[in-house]
Amino acid sequence: MQVDPGNMKLTYTDSVFHLLKPALLVLSLFLFAISALAQEESEIEIYFAETKVGESFNFNERTIHFKEVLVDSRCPGDVTCVRAGEAKILVEIFKGEKSLGKEIITLGANVNSFKTSLAKFFEEELDIEFLSLSPYPKTSRKIKTSDYQLKLKVTERLEN
C-alpha cells in the first residue's frame, strides 16, 4: 500500500506482487526439499533370472519356483496365425521355506514386458515382469519340457 499525498487515498500498486514473489520462492524450495527427501527414503533393487522348468529363482529370502508349462499354444514363429495363442505356466511362491501358494501365469504371444503382480504373496512392494518364455514354438520342432526357460525381472522397493 502507498499513500498518495495529493488526495490522501490508499492505492495498491505492485506491493501485493512484491509480497507474493518471496512467498512463492519459499514454497517452491519447500516442495523441492520434500521431493528430494521422498526420493532418498526408498531405493530400488532389481533382480534378473533365467530359470528352467523345475528350477527356482531366489532373491532376498524369497523364491519363485518354475513348476511347469501347462499349455503352450503360441503361434509358431514360422506360421501366420489368426490368433496369437498363449502359454500358461505354473509357479509356486515361497518365503523362506514356507510355501505361500501357487499361481498360474498366462503369457501372450508377445510376452515382452508382460507384467503381473505376485506381490500379494509378499509383504514388500514388488513388481514381477516375465520377460520371455523360450524357446518360441516352430513347426519344425517339438519343444521338450526340459528346454523351456523363463526369464523374469523382480523390482523391489526398499525403505532406508
Side-chain angles (χ1 to χ4, degrees), residues 8-130:
M8 294 301 285
K9 291 184 182 176
L10 296 175
T11 59
Y12 289 98
T13 57
D14 293 333
S15 62
V16 173
F17 296 111
H18 288 298
L19 291 173
L20 285 179
K21 282 182 185 178
L24 288 174
L25 178 63
V26 169
L27 180 62
S28 297
L29 291 173
F30 177 72
L31 292 174
F32 178 75
I34 289 175
S35 172
L37 285 173
Q39 289 177 357
E40 289 176 9
E41 288 178 6
S42 65
E43 292 181 10
I44 294 178
E45 205 165 311
I46 299 175
Y47 305 89
F48 290 94
E50 294 182 13
T51 185
K52 292 188 173 218
V53 174
E55 295 180 347
S56 298
F57 168 52
N58 300 308
F59 59 100
N60 200 14
E61 296 182 28
R62 296 161 186 85
T63 303
I64 297 175
H65 182 72
F66 182 14
K67 294 197 65 86
E68 65 180 298
V69 176
L70 301 170
V71 174
D72 189 357
S73 65
R74 296 175 293 171
C75 178
D78 54 351
V79 174
T80 302
C81 297
V82 175
R83 187 173 174 272
E86 62 190 21
K88 291 186 180 190
I89 62 170
L90 178 65
V91 295
E92 187 170 7
I93 314 305
F94 293 87
K95 186 164 185 177
E97 298 294 318
K98 181 182 176 194
S99 174
L100 300 175
K102 296 177 183 175
E103 187 81 8
I104 295 174
I105 308 295
T106 302
L107 308 168
N110 184 6
V111 73
N112 291 334
S113 298
F114 177 82
K115 289 190 177 185
T116 186
S117 175
L118 295 178
K120 64 185 176 186
F121 292 108
F122 306 104
E123 296 168 10
E124 292 80 13
E125 287 290 320
L126 296 173
D127 288 327
I128 299 173
E129 188 173 357
F130 292 90

Side-chain angles (χ1 to χ4, degrees), residues 129-149:
E129 188 173 357
F130 292 90
L131 302 174
S132 67
L133 178 64
S134 59
Y136 201 83
K138 287 187 178 180
T139 56
S140 61
R141 71 163 183 244
K142 178 162 173 57
I143 302 171
K144 293 186 268 182
T145 300
S146 61
D147 291 340
Y148 278 107
Q149 186 172 13

